[in-house]
Amino acid sequence: MEVGLLRSQVFFPASLEIQEELLKAGFKVPYDKESGRKTPVPVVVSSRERRKVRGLRLLKAKDYESDRKFALLPEGKAVLELDVTEKGFLMLKPKLMEYHLEEMGFLSVPPRLWGTWASFSLPFSAYESIVEELSAFRDDAKGIQLASKGSGSRIEVHAYKGRSRKDLGIPVFGYALGLHGLTLADEYFREKARENDVPEERLRYLKLGLKKRKETKAGLKVGVVWENGKPTEITLKLTTTEPRVRIQGLYGELIGKSRGELTRTDDWYVVVHARDFINALEAVRKAFG
């Protein structure tokens, strides 16, 4: 089945692996103080609602309005395919048709230290059809627990499996996300290659995608956003916490959380067990009765 996404955000700047790959190729990531040249790793964003972004943060988009200070981006389009394998695994496949590239804003905590680095939001109206599609995998939800955060009238509840996975969610058995196959990303890096005096043919050898390593500790936070006591969104957040990696940046050593193994991939997917997914989804739906 296929469901339209409200929002899709993949924070590739959270990956030290991709940063190192670009540094080795000759790009100034994220910023060279001497020359002023910079190559921020893009955040890939698609939003069903129009989005207002500071002009300096917008790296690449097709059509938008701008008053120099801000850019007003049109509605984006993205979907999430849900495919179940014969062995009961659920493949979640985000597909972006309309999107843009942003630079990270100023943050007190560097994204390389974050747990969550990819998030996808669906309208809660999709809940019944998803549950019906996966109803054959429902069981008594042993081991599913809930965590919540929020303020005011908005509360987000997510499910996790087992006591040690509060920061992860339910187990993830595989994933692949990357900048390959995205036309805007290809155009962006070609422009940056010229700015950084990097031979353009070098781009064809870059690995700007990530897939799960065997040792990667990964999880998917399956959640529901409640506003004024009513469920409004289903949220899916891909999180990795271990192992730690270190690279040599432009101005010293950087240490952060691994996002996976570098690869070239046009496919985006996250693999979980269908049983875990429906149990987690039903648990967060029942959080407030």
Side-chain angles (χ1 to χ4, degrees):
M1 67 175 295
E2 184 178 282
V3 180
L5 285 166
L6 291 176
R7 287 180 304 282
S8 171
Q9 295 177 294
V10 183
F11 295 88
F12 289 107
S15 170
L16 287 178
E17 294 90 348
I18 288 179
Q19 183 171 336
E20 183 176 48
E21 180 80 345
L22 289 167
L23 284 167
K24 287 180 177 178
F27 291 94
K28 305 300 182 183
V29 184
Y31 180 73
D32 180 30
K33 297 175 183 176
E34 294 182 5
S35 66
R37 293 176 179 173
K38 61 178 184 177
T39 308
V41 180
V43 181
V44 180
V45 181
S46 179
S47 174
R48 191 185 293 183
E49 297 179 349
R50 301 188 77 183
R51 187 176 173 92
K52 192 174 185 179
V53 179
R54 286 191 174 276
L56 293 175
R57 283 185 55 190
L58 182 63
L59 297 179
K60 202 76 179 172
K62 285 186 178 178
D63 300 306
Y64 60 94
E65 300 172 15
S66 176
D67 63 2
R68 294 186 180 180
K69 188 174 183 181
F70 289 96
L72 184 60
L73 297 154
E75 298 175 2
K77 184 179 179 182
V79 299
L80 182 70
E81 290 184 3
L82 293 85
D83 295 333
V84 183
T85 71
E86 292 181 357
K87 294 185 178 181
F89 289 98
L90 174 64
M91 294 193 70
L92 303 164
K93 302 177 181 177
K95 296 187 180 298
L96 278 55
M97 285 75 84
E98 296 167 355
Y99 62 94
H100 64 273
L101 309 181
E102 293 182 16
E103 180 180 355
M104 291 291 300
F106 174 78
L107 297 166
S108 58
V109 179
R112 68 177 184 272
L113 302 179
W114 297 357
T116 297
W117 58 279
S119 65
F120 308 96
S121 295
L122 299 83
F124 189 77
S125 57
Y127 176 87
E128 294 296 341
S129 59
I130 294 174
V131 168
E132 182 179 352
E133 180 79 9
L134 303 177
S135 60
F137 299 94
R138 182 190 289 116
D139 64 15
D140 57 6
K142 287 183 179 178
I144 295 292
Q145 300 175 65
L146 301 180
S148 63
K149 65 176 182 178
S151 61
S153 62
R154 181 183 170 92
I155 301 174
E156 182 175 327
V157 182
H158 78 263
Y160 61 99
K161 187 176 182 181
R163 294 181 180 180
S164 65
R165 298 187 67 87
K166 187 173 182 180
D167 295 330
L168 284 168
I170 61 173
V172 165
F173 298 92
Y175 60 77
L177 295 168
L179 292 161
H180 300 286
L182 299 177
T183 302
L184 292 182
D186 181 65
E187 293 174 0
Y188 170 74
F189 284 113
R190 288 184 185 280
E191 291 173 3
K192 289 298 176 180
R194 291 191 288 271
E195 287 180 21
N196 288 271
D197 298 322
V198 173
E200 196 168 300
E201 61 268 20
R202 200 172 291 176
L203 295 174
R204 75 179 74 173
Y205 303 107
L206 289 178
K207 295 180 180 180
L208 300 178
L210 299 160
K211 65 178 181 180
K212 186 182 182 302
R213 298 176 184 267
K214 184 177 181 180
E215 62 269 25
T216 305
K217 193 171 183 181
L220 185 72
K221 292 182 179 179
V222 179
V224 165
V225 173
W226 296 75
E227 295 190 53
N228 297 312
K230 295 181 179 180
T232 57
E233 292 181 25
I234 298 169
T235 63
L236 308 175
K237 297 182 178 181
L238 178 63
T239 297
T240 57
T241 57
E242 294 179 10
R244 306 274 284 179
V245 294
R246 59 183 68 213
I247 69 166
Q248 186 62 40
L250 285 177
Y251 303 103
E253 187 178 68
L254 299 174
I255 302 173
K257 297 175 181 179
S258 172
R259 306 305 175 189
E261 180 182 351
L262 287 172
T263 186
R264 291 185 62 88
T265 179
D266 293 351
D267 295 327
W268 283 24
Y269 62 81
V270 180
V271 183
V272 296
H273 203 286
R275 180 184 62 248
D276 292 336
F277 188 85
I278 188 172
N279 289 340
L281 190 57
E282 291 192 322
V284 292
R285 168 62 181 87
K286 297 172 183 176
F288 297 109

